[in-house]
Amino acid sequence: GENAMCDTRNFRKEYDVFLQRFPHRTAVIEDIKVRYQYGGKENAPVILFFNGLEMQETWMPYALHFVQNYRFLIYEYPLHITNVDEQMAFTFALLKALAIRQVILIGCSDGGVHAQIFAKNYPEVVTKMILITTLTLDSDYLRHIKKAWFVTPLLLLFLKLIPAKTEMNLLLKKCQGFLTCESPEGQAYGRTFYETVTSDLCYKQRYIHSVKCVSLLKDYPVFDPTDFAYLRGKIQVLIPENDIFTKEDQARLSALFEKLDAEILRAPGGHMGFVVQAEDYMEKIEKFLARQ
């Protein structure tokens, strides 16, 4: 009855509490203003989060969980940099400005690809890498974007022209599909997550930016295991049972990192499992970090 309703988890409420505890700060890096959240245990290792579709809200449960023993950094990608190497150079500059010398990378979805590119470009900075619900550049998903790249300008034009509210409703509809494999409670919580992200009307710009950035990944050279040789035994890959990516793409991701003695684990749920069932994912990550 009514009491049960009070117990239902609501991402919005949790996120508001999180923002009070870790409000956005602003930094100016190379004349670019950037918003970020940074906190946690003094002098502890820093976890740098790369998010999918620029939904940095995603990481709220993780930041709260790891804040006891780690520091964390979540930041908003600058909107006018679309080239991925330039994006990663910006990230590097942000770390420098915050006097962060080394990081543990955690990336999900297209953020998982960003994590791989950052790790390849800045080996001196990265100590460990955790990839969640993602793929590598050698994937049919990105090859398909290659075939469809000519529609991207049209899609972007369409997204720019429609009102933010309309766009958010379309996005909510599309994202419901990512939740179908979750429990009814999980689906309800997942909806509150998407509502939280899309209620920020600036998210329209972030989303358009992410579509541009993802479509540009199609031209990026495929990784070689030697790119990450320095991380041998220090990589964890979490693959959801019902991801949006094909089994072939999951297998290619696994094959790349198996060569580097990565820990590759199945995890529950679908593409949003790591938000809806965050506890399960955090437990696996916790164990991996503790072993190192």
Side-chain angles (χ1 to χ4, degrees), residues 164-204:
K165 267 273 172 272
T166 313
E167 178 170 14
M168 293 313 124
N169 290 333
L170 287 173
L171 196 63
L172 281 172
K173 268 208 185 75
K174 181 176 160 50
C175 293
Q176 301 290 17
F178 297 161
L179 296 167
T180 47
C181 57
E182 305 292 345
S183 69
E185 300 77 34
Q187 290 188 32
Y189 182 66
R191 274 195 291 277
T192 65
F193 164 74
Y194 281 117
E195 283 158 9
T196 304
V197 173
T198 57
S199 66
D200 171 7
L201 292 181
C202 305
Y203 182 67
K204 176 176 164 168

Side-chain angles (χ1 to χ4, degrees), residues 87-129:
Q87 277 181 292
M88 297 304 106
F90 178 86
T91 309
F92 180 68
L94 173 63
L95 291 174
K96 238 181 162 155
L98 297 175
I100 299 171
R101 302 249 305 279
Q102 288 192 308
V103 292
I104 296 164
L105 296 182
I106 300 188
C108 70
S109 198
D110 47 308
V113 181
H114 283 125
Q116 292 167 67
I117 292 172
F118 188 84
K120 177 185 172 177
N121 291 3
Y122 299 99
E124 69 282 9
V125 181
V126 180
T127 58
K128 300 175 186 90
M129 178 164 66

Side-chain angles (χ1 to χ4, degrees), residues 194-236:
Y194 281 117
E195 283 158 9
T196 304
V197 173
T198 57
S199 66
D200 171 7
L201 292 181
C202 305
Y203 182 67
K204 176 176 164 168
Q205 300 327 116
R206 274 159 42 199
Y207 180 69
I208 289 172
H209 182 246
S210 76
V211 171
K212 278 185 196 161
C213 294
V214 171
S215 69
L216 288 174
L217 289 173
K218 68 186 178 348
D219 301 319
Y220 205 85
V222 169
F223 299 119
D224 187 86
T226 55
D227 294 333
F228 310 108
Y230 73 97
L231 286 173
R232 178 172 295 282
K234 298 195 169 156
I235 301 167
Q236 184 186 48

Side-chain angles (χ1 to χ4, degrees), residues 43-278:
N43 302 320
V46 179
I47 297 174
L48 170 61
F49 289 109
F50 285 115
N51 27 271
L53 290 184
E54 301 186 29
M55 296 179 169
Q56 52 266 24
E57 296 85 350
T58 301
W59 297 117
M60 179 262 303
Y62 291 78
L64 288 174
H65 179 89
F66 285 105
V67 83
Q68 280 104 6
N69 300 309
Y70 297 88
R71 285 181 292 162
F72 72 87
L73 176 62
I74 300 170
Y75 76 100
E76 286 184 348
Y77 301 163
L79 290 176
H80 60 283
I81 304 177
T82 48
N83 171 290
V84 72
D85 286 322
E86 284 172 33
Q87 277 181 292
M88 297 304 106
F90 178 86
T91 309
F92 180 68
L94 173 63
L95 291 174
K96 238 181 162 155
L98 297 175
I100 299 171
R101 302 249 305 279
Q102 288 192 308
V103 292
I104 296 164
L105 296 182
I106 300 188
C108 70
S109 198
D110 47 308
V113 181
H114 283 125
Q116 292 167 67
I117 292 172
F118 188 84
K120 177 185 172 177
N121 291 3
Y122 299 99
E124 69 282 9
V125 181
V126 180
T127 58
K128 300 175 186 90
M129 178 164 66
I130 296 155
L131 303 173
I132 304 172
T133 186
T134 188
L135 32 74
T136 188
L137 289 167
D138 176 20
S139 63
D140 293 330
Y141 185 83
L142 287 172
R143 277 186 279 276
H144 174 70
I145 288 178
K146 228 173 201 152
K147 286 195 204 94
W149 71 269
F150 63 90
V151 303
T152 303
L154 294 175
L155 173 67
L156 288 171
L157 183 66
F158 170 68
L159 291 175
K160 281 187 183 128
L161 293 175
I162 61 174
K165 267 273 172 272
T166 313
E167 178 170 14
M168 293 313 124
N169 290 333
L170 287 173
L171 196 63
L172 281 172
K173 268 208 185 75
K174 181 176 160 50
C175 293
Q176 301 290 17
F178 297 161
L179 296 167
T180 47
C181 57
E182 305 292 345
S183 69
E185 300 77 34
Q187 290 188 32
Y189 182 66
R191 274 195 291 277
T192 65
F193 164 74
Y194 281 117
E195 283 158 9
T196 304
V197 173
T198 57
S199 66
D200 171 7
L201 292 181
C202 305
Y203 182 67
K204 176 176 164 168
Q205 300 327 116
R206 274 159 42 199
Y207 180 69
I208 289 172
H209 182 246
S210 76
V211 171
K212 278 185 196 161
C213 294
V214 171
S215 69
L216 288 174
L217 289 173
K218 68 186 178 348
D219 301 319
Y220 205 85
V222 169
F223 299 119
D224 187 86
T226 55
D227 294 333
F228 310 108
Y230 73 97
L231 286 173
R232 178 172 295 282
K234 298 195 169 156
I235 301 167
Q236 184 186 48
V237 183
L238 300 178
I239 298 181
E241 288 150 15
N242 299 297
D243 209 345
I244 55 171
F245 304 126
T246 62
K247 293 286 173 252
E248 290 79 16
D249 281 351
Q250 289 179 339
R252 288 187 188 105
L253 176 72
S254 298
L256 172 62
F257 290 111
E258 267 161 12
K259 296 185 180 103
L260 299 161
D261 307 327
E263 176 181 74
I264 299 168
L265 300 176
R266 294 257 153 225
H271 197 55
M272 289 310 296
F274 76 103
V275 172
V276 174
Q277 305 187 53

